[in-house]
Amino acid sequence: MTENTIPAIEPQLILPLFGARDQHLRRIRQRFNVAITHRDGQIKITGDEDNVAQATEVLTHLKRIVERRGSLTPDLFDATVAQVTGEGPPVSNEAVDVLQTGRQIRPRTEGQANYVDAIRNNDIVFAVGPAGTGKTYLAVAMAVEALKHQAIRKIVLVRPAVEAGESLGYLPGDMQAKINPYLRPLLDAINEMIGYDQVQQLIQQDVIEVIPLAYMRGRTLNEAFIILDEAQNSTVAQMKMFLTRMGHDSKIVVSGDATQTDLPHHTSSGLRDALVRLKKIKGVRMVELTAADIVRHQLVQKIVEAYEVKQRDSRAPNGQQDQRNKTGEAKKKTSTTRSE
């Protein structure tokens, strides 16, 4: 027999966690054949080792959900059990709860659902994928949800100030005007979810902070949701500096397209380096989105696929490229002969 303990259950969370008339507890007991007791703010799970481990994982996930939302829907309960046991859809497409009344944002593909689920259940998440897959948009939505439910006190939106052909010093205006073009995508997303006037108010109150990556040095951010966008344009040193800004009760999402970089030649991308260096660390989750997750205009997916084909051809050995060219020429000749 094995016994696990889940500590520090707030009294107001007991009812949504256990369910009306303890219906959630009964289902977990029956599903995993374990005994569950609640005493002095602690939940004890007793039974066979494997069953106890799974029941503990389910209850831990459910506890995080009710801490964040204050309630637990049947669909989310079922999805959590399915995720732990692997006996059904691994994630839920539950809507992300943003501040604007009546607005719903939810994952639209399986890859996006995995991404949202990873953010909910991990403190550091790396998301890589092509344009239009929702990397930035969904990360901002999750940050707004965390702010709404008071899981955090501050949202920090960060981007490297690296573009082709220009530097901050050559742009007109004060510092805020200089960095605005680099941070515009993040501001557009959060304005859509909260509303321009409220965003400006929250920026004035320092609840929302939008800054270039270079300005993160020397800081420690507690109870914050920190998003690094376009992370492929960070250097290895910058990525290390950024990740080590994380304080207690904070969450980090790093997004970017590892195949694209505007860094100077021979400068290693901090995103590519981190994907290799940190992949075995518990609590760090890597999510890869693909062309199948693109939710912009349908032409965007075709454009991305066309560029991927061109990149594969350019990386192929000369012999393979020659063979492809010959095959294409042969097909053209055959087609011409048939038409004649």
Side-chain angles (χ1 to χ4, degrees):
M1 297 288 285
T2 300
E3 181 179 276
N4 276 354
T5 301
I6 301 176
I9 302 294
E10 298 294 332
Q12 67 270 22
L13 301 180
I14 297 301
L15 179 58
L17 179 61
F18 290 177
R21 299 179 181 177
D22 291 346
Q23 60 177 330
H24 297 155
L25 279 193
R26 288 200 305 272
R27 290 184 60 186
I28 295 172
R29 287 180 182 128
Q30 293 170 1
R31 172 64 184 80
F32 298 104
N33 191 27
V34 294
I36 303 175
T37 58
H38 172 242
R39 183 176 299 172
D40 299 328
Q42 292 186 332
I43 298 175
K44 291 186 178 181
I45 306 104
T46 307
D48 291 340
E49 183 176 358
D50 291 342
N51 291 343
V52 168
Q54 286 193 315
T56 302
E57 186 174 356
V58 167
L59 280 167
T60 301
H61 282 305
L62 296 178
K63 175 175 175 282
R64 290 174 184 166
I65 292 169
V66 297
E67 284 176 336
R68 184 175 64 249
R69 292 177 170 270
S71 62
L72 183 61
T73 64
D75 287 345
L76 197 50
F77 178 91
D78 292 340
T80 301
V81 174
Q83 177 186 348
V84 172
T85 61
E87 295 179 352
V91 292
S92 168
N93 69 340
E94 183 190 17
V96 181
D97 188 10
V98 295
L99 291 182
Q100 282 198 7
T101 304
R103 178 166 181 78
Q104 278 199 346
I105 297 173
R106 65 175 68 245
R108 293 170 59 182
T109 68
E110 184 178 351
Q112 289 188 346
N114 274 303
Y115 180 32
V116 169
D117 181 70
I119 296 174
R120 292 196 195 281
N121 296 301
N122 296 273
D123 290 333
I124 298 180
V125 175
F126 286 84
V128 295
T133 52
K135 301 185 301 295
T136 302
Y137 193 79
L138 288 173
V140 171
M142 294 298 292
V144 172
E145 179 187 76
L147 182 65
K148 179 176 181 178
H149 292 278
Q150 299 181 343
I152 57 165
R153 294 187 300 105
K154 185 182 184 72
I155 296 175
V156 183
L157 307 175
V158 187
R159 206 177 190 202
V162 177
E163 299 291 345
E166 285 187 306
S167 66
L168 288 177
Y170 291 106
L171 294 175
D174 59 15
M175 180 54 65
Q176 189 62 39
K178 289 175 184 289
I179 66 175
N180 189 68
Y182 298 95
L183 304 171
R184 191 76 252 169
L186 293 167
L187 287 171
D188 287 344
I190 204 163
N191 284 334
E192 183 177 332
M193 295 170 202
I194 299 179
Y196 178 83
D197 291 338
Q198 190 173 1
V199 168
Q200 294 307 307
Q201 183 179 357
L202 292 173
I203 289 175
Q204 291 297 322
Q205 296 170 351
D206 205 33
V207 175
I208 296 176
E209 187 175 2
V210 189
I211 58 173
L213 177 57
Y215 284 58
M216 291 287 288
R217 188 174 300 279
R219 304 182 62 185
T220 299
L221 295 171
N222 299 317
E223 298 178 77
F225 197 118
I226 314 157
I227 300 171
L228 174 60
D229 191 35
E230 297 294 338
Q232 74 275 5
N233 286 334
S234 66
T235 65
V236 175
Q238 286 175 329
M239 179 63 73
K240 177 185 176 183
M241 179 271 292
F242 171 78
L243 294 174
T244 53
R245 302 308 94 199
M246 186 180 190
H248 66 79
D249 296 326
S250 289
K251 189 181 290 283
I252 284 179
V253 177
V254 177
S255 66
D257 183 352
T259 66
Q260 303 290 333
T261 179
D262 297 308
L263 291 170
H265 194 49
H266 297 312
T267 300
S268 298
S269 167
L271 177 60
R272 293 179 184 173
D273 176 80
L275 292 174
V276 175
R277 190 187 298 268
L278 308 179
K279 63 182 179 180
K280 294 183 179 180
I281 296 180
K282 187 176 181 180
V284 177
R285 176 84 177 272
M286 314 289 184
V287 177
E288 183 175 1
L289 300 169
T290 67
D293 299 304
I294 293 176
V295 293
R296 290 183 185 169
H297 193 288
Q298 59 182 356
L299 286 177
V300 174
Q301 183 170 355
K302 295 179 180 179
I303 290 168
V304 170
E305 290 173 347
Y307 275 93
E308 287 179 347
V309 169
K310 183 66 176 177
Q311 288 172 348
R312 285 196 297 268
D313 286 346
S314 66
R315 289 194 298 264
N318 291 335
Q320 292 183 17
Q321 292 186 43
D322 292 342
Q323 184 62 38
R324 288 175 186 169
N325 293 336
K326 289 178 183 178
T327 302
E329 291 172 1
K331 288 181 179 178
K332 289 180 182 178
K333 290 179 180 179
T334 303
S335 176
T336 303
T337 304
R338 288 176 180 172
S339 64
E340 290 174 349

